[in-house]
Amino acid sequence: MMEDDLIWVSLPVPAILLDDKDQIADINPAAETFLNTSLRSLQGHHVWDKIMVAAPLEGGFERVRKNQAALFVNDVDLGTGERPPVHCNLQIAPLNDDSKRLIMLISPREIAGKLGRAHSVQATAKSAIGMAEMLAHEIKNPLAGITGAAQLISMNLPKSELELTDLIVAESRRIVKLLEQVEQFGNVRPPLMHPVNIHDILDRARKSAEVGFAASIKFSDDYDPSLPPTLGDADQLLQVFLNLLKNAAEASEKLGPEHEGTIKIRTFYDLSLRLRGKDGRGAAVPLQVEITDNGPGLPEEIADEIFEPFVSGRENGTGLGLALVSKIIGEHNGWIQVDSVPGKTVFRVSLQVAPDLSNSEYY
């Protein structure tokens, strides 16, 4: 493969090459995925016959060619007959030759916004976790003293007057348990990365859920059996999916006994998303796991902050379960997002392929 071809197929954003008549000459793999169609079905057709953009761009193409300068169009809806409109930014630029060809880059705003929020959440989480760990350590010692004092006082009280001391002991132990969760959250070891079969982990999580906290929930699955192994820590990924299933089960149970709670687990392959690693290089996260419940949805006021520590949509929740999920997935160089409306909440985990398969048919 020529170097130019390698760059073209590796572009992480959808790209469309237009000829001098504004006909589609080529699209990269990211564009095929984003537009949900193939190069064969688009090639040779006028761009506006196949792609709908809510902006008058016909004259813009000619200005780009005439001025040999890029055109930027922000906040437009772009769609095709194969997918609904998506809010995007567009960049249209001339190629550096005499062909009058143009390249159009499509940047979905939805993905960019969620990635930005994800990076913000990670930064906020580090600060919050550090403060919480320090407070947990400092608070546990005096709590132990309070609990011990209450127990000593109760030894000299008649049974009729033990209610207050029992309350002190019970509440102190509840706080200690919460502080231990905070400390556990901060002390998660770095993942031991090995090639693992994501379906084996999902099956373990599902079986554990079905005999435990989700015994009353109806499960279904839609697995892609061709998925290659991912690189990860099996125990930590199991914890991730157990937490997500527990969250889904609790959401479905809010419907009440008159409605059946359901959880669907789906896996598939999507090469359209790439994340920038710590070394600055972009890496694909094509292995997708979706966990969908039919609960009432996330409260609107916390939907954008659900992965931050101490943010919970459940009464008496600690707000650490989904924060821990986000932390583990981040350390696996993956990404997690949520889309929620009443009646359908979808948590989507995106993971890398194990490196030893990087030259396989999936790349």
Side-chain angles (χ1 to χ4, degrees):
M1 181 179 291
M2 298 290 291
E3 184 175 354
D4 288 348
D5 294 333
L6 182 61
I7 293 173
W8 178 250
V9 300
S10 301
L11 278 176
V13 296
I16 300 174
L17 184 64
L18 304 177
D19 64 18
D20 60 342
K21 298 179 181 178
D22 297 337
Q23 295 176 341
I24 298 173
D26 199 1
I27 64 174
N28 69 341
E32 287 187 306
T33 301
F34 174 74
L35 298 172
N36 193 29
T37 189
S38 66
L39 171 61
R40 179 179 298 178
S41 66
L42 298 179
Q43 197 169 33
H45 291 275
H46 194 281
V47 62
W48 303 133
D49 290 340
K50 291 295 183 178
I51 297 175
M52 284 78 71
V53 177
L57 293 179
E58 291 84 349
F61 285 173
E62 290 308 312
R63 290 198 302 273
V64 170
R65 291 188 176 98
K66 180 179 178 180
N67 300 328
Q68 286 294 294
L71 173 67
F72 297 86
V73 184
N74 295 325
D75 300 324
V76 296
D77 288 329
L78 182 148
T80 69
E82 303 296 328
R83 66 164 299 161
V86 176
H87 213 47
C88 299
N89 292 340
L90 303 180
Q91 301 175 51
I92 305 159
L95 294 189
N96 291 327
D97 57 23
D98 297 325
S99 65
K100 293 188 177 182
R101 292 182 299 171
L102 302 178
I103 184 171
M104 182 165 66
L105 301 179
I106 304 169
S107 301
R109 287 292 302 275
E110 179 185 14
I111 293 177
K114 289 181 177 179
L115 282 173
R117 288 196 297 272
H119 290 306
S120 175
V121 165
Q122 290 179 2
T124 303
K126 288 182 180 179
S127 176
I129 294 163
M131 178 64 72
E133 285 184 284
M134 181 188 72
L135 289 175
H137 179 74
E138 295 298 326
I139 293 173
K140 283 177 68 176
N141 288 334
L143 273 177
I146 292 171
T147 303
Q151 289 174 326
L152 287 174
I153 293 173
S154 67
M155 294 173 63
N156 298 316
L157 293 177
K159 291 184 178 181
S160 60
E161 299 181 10
L162 292 178
E163 183 178 355
L164 289 178
T165 55
D166 288 346
L167 178 62
I168 293 171
V169 172
E171 288 301 295
S172 296
R173 287 174 176 170
R174 185 180 67 83
I175 295 172
V176 168
K177 186 176 180 180
L178 173 60
L179 295 174
E180 288 174 347
Q181 290 182 46
V182 172
E183 290 181 322
Q184 178 187 13
F185 181 82
N187 291 330
V188 174
R189 59 171 173 77
L192 301 176
M193 308 290 269
H194 300 285
V196 294
N197 186 319
I198 199 68
H199 294 135
D200 289 345
I201 296 173
L202 289 171
D203 285 341
R204 288 171 58 192
R206 173 176 172 170
K207 290 175 182 177
S208 179
E210 285 179 319
V211 299
F213 56 80
S216 62
I217 302 296
K218 179 181 178 181
F219 280 83
S220 64
D221 59 63
D222 180 10
Y223 289 169
D224 180 351
S226 68
L227 289 188
T230 186
L231 188 67
D233 185 310
D235 291 337
Q236 290 191 11
L237 290 176
L238 177 63
Q239 186 175 9
V240 163
F241 294 121
L242 280 172
N243 280 5
L244 291 178
L245 290 177
K246 186 175 182 181
N247 185 80
E250 290 171 348
S252 295
E253 288 171 351
K254 292 180 181 179
L255 297 171
E258 65 277 10
H259 298 285
E260 183 178 42
T262 63
I263 295 176
K264 180 178 179 179
I265 307 173
R266 176 187 176 217
T267 64
F268 58 101
Y269 197 86
D270 182 353
L271 198 56
S272 63
L273 181 62
R274 297 178 71 89
L275 298 180
R276 189 172 299 278
K278 296 178 181 179
D279 58 0
R281 300 175 60 185
V285 281
L287 303 189
Q288 313 298 323
V289 179
E290 287 186 347
I291 295 178
T292 303
D293 68 69
N294 66 334
L298 295 173
E300 186 176 348
E301 63 272 14
I302 67 168
D304 290 339
E305 303 171 346
I306 195 65
F307 296 113
E308 294 189 15
F310 315 116
V311 175
S312 176
R314 182 166 51 91
E315 186 177 356
N316 298 322
T318 63
L320 291 177
L322 291 178
L324 179 60
V325 165
S326 179
K327 181 181 181 184
I328 292 175
I329 294 301
E331 291 179 348
H332 279 71
N333 300 314
W335 187 45
I336 183 169
Q337 64 169 310
V338 61
D339 288 304
S340 182
V341 295
K344 183 179 181 181
T345 296
V346 183
F347 283 88
R348 179 172 173 178
V349 176
S350 305
L351 297 168
Q352 295 182 346
V353 170
D356 59 336
L357 295 182
S358 61
N359 293 322
S360 74
E361 63 184 37
Y362 294 94
Y363 274 82

